Amino acid sequence: MPFDLGALRRYPDVEGPGLEASDAADRLLIDEAAERGAAIAPPLAPDDVVVLDDAYGAIALAAADAFGATPARPIRVHQDLVTGERALHLNAERLALGEAVASLPLGPELVAGARLVLVRLPRSLDRLDELAALVARHAASDVVIVAGGRLKHMTLAMNEVLGRSFGRVDVSLARQKSRVLIASEARPAARTSAPAWPRRERHGAEGLEVVAHGGVFAGTGIDIGTRFLLEHLGDAVPDAAHAIDLACGTGVVAARLARTRPGLVVAATDRSASAAASARLTAEANGVAARVEVTQADGLEGFADASERLIVLNPPFHSEAAISTGIAAHLFADAGRVLAPGGELWCVWNSHLRYRPLLERTVGPTRQIARNAKFTITASRRAAPVA
């Protein structure tokens, strides 16, 4: 595939240095896809090809270039992160391939009739399971999945997960610390059995039912940081007619706030499409869908300056495989911008990350609400501007 990966760019960086727009795993996957695609008969058309979980567009745009995609017959693409989707389309415009790729939600339409599916392997086995099952159920019966990743992030369990939906899983030779898995021969049972995703779990102690798509942090569970936060979302939290669950994940905090405060409307946002879809289902499962408004967004980009009284946040601290404070810093700055004078950001964080000075600088005066052996809960108040 004659394609210049060096021309690609990331979406505006909030995660720190060291993450490139393409890597050796992308290059290996593209080369393997070219070889596998050439062997498929009859020849593949652009709309026979689907790309899943491409980071910034390397795989999708190389495929669009190789298979002659056009606005009438684009490559279908799904990326979980809104930042990845934006990077793809910015790169596509830069490389004159703007209408050669079409971003679609994760669902049957995305993979219907596909004969070649290219996947950047997710680290989450649940995410891989959901993707493989969707492809096996709705793609062409002879579909081939070519899935690549870095060796340090791959496990034998990935072969087993693909094997649940496909009768054959082949493994490429390693190259530049990367490898590709090739899944074919979709199992008949995978095409006819009831979908396994999304899943749900009832948590009696918290009085909540959690619904999750594959790959969302903590799945149908409630992580220990969020459990600690829920214990302290009581009378000390300021009264407000409206609140924001920032980086909402499966929407546990949003559902709990809406359940315990009948007059409260909660906006839940997350950059992950799977998280946003899960949060909507969690709100519905807990009877508060009418008062929980879920949006896929990069932080608080849809909110006006100085407009909100209460924001609640359990910030992510991983960017792909690396521990990173960049995401939290971005979210703290957004909260500081959106909070009205006197409004508060309630935040739970791993104590070793020592976020309090950063919260003081970007939001305002910060007090400790609670602390245990692992987590700290703080409330940061937005100060009124100096006259």
Side-chain angles (χ1 to χ4, degrees):
M1 294 186 181
F3 189 76
D4 181 13
L5 296 181
L8 297 181
R9 298 291 183 270
R10 297 179 59 198
Y11 188 71
D13 186 359
V14 300
E15 299 173 0
L19 297 175
E20 302 299 330
S22 64
D23 63 10
D26 287 338
R27 293 188 286 274
L28 177 59
L29 197 158
I30 289 165
D31 290 345
E32 287 285 343
E35 182 179 338
R36 295 282 169 170
I40 294 176
L44 292 169
D47 46 6
D48 290 327
V49 182
V50 173
V51 178
L52 303 177
D53 281 1
D54 189 5
Y56 302 108
I59 302 164
L61 295 175
D65 180 64
F67 293 107
T70 66
R73 303 187 79 176
I75 298 288
R76 287 172 283 174
V77 184
H78 176 79
Q79 293 153 285
D80 186 53
L81 299 185
V82 68
T83 47
E85 186 174 314
R86 290 172 184 172
L88 165 65
H89 289 284
L90 287 171
N91 284 319
E93 292 293 336
R94 182 181 293 112
L95 298 170
L97 291 168
E99 296 183 342
V101 291
S103 292
L104 297 176
L106 188 66
E109 181 184 0
L110 171 68
V111 298
R115 299 169 61 208
L116 178 65
V117 177
L118 313 183
V119 182
R120 180 60 192 247
L121 280 167
R123 296 190 71 218
S124 164
L125 295 178
D126 285 347
R127 174 71 173 178
L128 181 60
D129 186 55
E130 184 170 24
L131 295 179
L134 182 72
V135 172
R137 174 178 290 273
H138 296 288
S141 58
D142 61 348
V143 66
V144 175
I145 291 180
V146 180
R150 301 290 281 165
L151 287 174
K152 63 184 178 181
H153 300 148
M154 295 176 68
T155 67
L156 288 175
M158 291 177 170
N159 304 49
E160 297 169 8
V161 168
L162 289 170
R164 295 173 194 162
S165 296
F166 291 86
R168 178 170 179 172
V169 179
D170 296 309
V171 182
S172 78
L173 296 175
R175 189 180 83 188
Q176 293 182 297
K177 300 180 180 179
S178 304
R179 195 184 294 278
V180 164
L181 307 179
I182 301 99
S184 58
E185 300 176 6
R187 295 186 182 277
R191 301 183 69 83
T192 58
S193 59
W197 298 96
R199 295 175 179 169
R200 61 185 61 222
E201 181 179 349
R202 181 74 185 173
H203 297 268
E206 289 75 22
L208 293 172
E209 185 168 346
V210 180
V211 187
H213 284 276
V216 181
F217 177 66
T220 57
I222 300 177
D223 69 278
I224 55 176
T226 297
R227 286 185 188 276
F228 188 46
L229 179 62
L230 293 180
E231 294 172 9
H232 294 87
L233 289 181
D235 294 340
V237 177
D239 287 331
H242 192 266
I244 299 174
D245 179 6
L246 176 56
C248 65
T250 55
V252 169
V253 170
R256 177 63 170 272
L257 285 170
R259 284 280 300 269
T260 56
R261 299 184 174 210
L264 183 67
V265 174
V266 184
T269 76
D270 202 292
R271 64 179 184 158
S272 160
S274 293
S278 300
R280 292 188 190 99
L281 293 171
T282 294
E284 182 180 333
N286 289 281
V288 293
R291 291 188 293 112
V292 175
E293 304 164 350
V294 183
T295 305
Q296 184 189 10
D298 182 13
L300 297 174
E301 60 186 351
F303 292 85
D305 294 359
S307 61
E308 298 293 330
R309 300 288 300 174
L310 177 61
I311 300 173
V312 182
L313 170 63
N314 180 358
F317 62 94
H318 281 93
S319 180
E320 298 182 1
I323 293 177
S324 171
T325 60
I327 302 171
H330 171 59
L331 297 176
F332 294 163
D334 241 7
R337 175 186 64 82
V338 169
L339 280 172
E344 291 190 349
L345 169 66
W346 279 58
C347 185
V348 60
W349 39 276
N350 289 67
S351 299
H352 74 273
L353 295 174
R354 303 183 185 279
Y355 281 147
R356 186 162 177 169
L358 180 59
L359 287 163
E360 295 268 2
R361 291 195 304 271
T362 56
V363 181
T366 298
R367 66 189 187 276
Q368 180 174 298
I369 301 299
R371 184 183 178 101
N372 64 16
K374 189 168 184 180
F375 294 98
T376 299
I377 299 172
T378 52
S380 304
R381 180 178 289 261
R382 190 62 175 164
V386 177

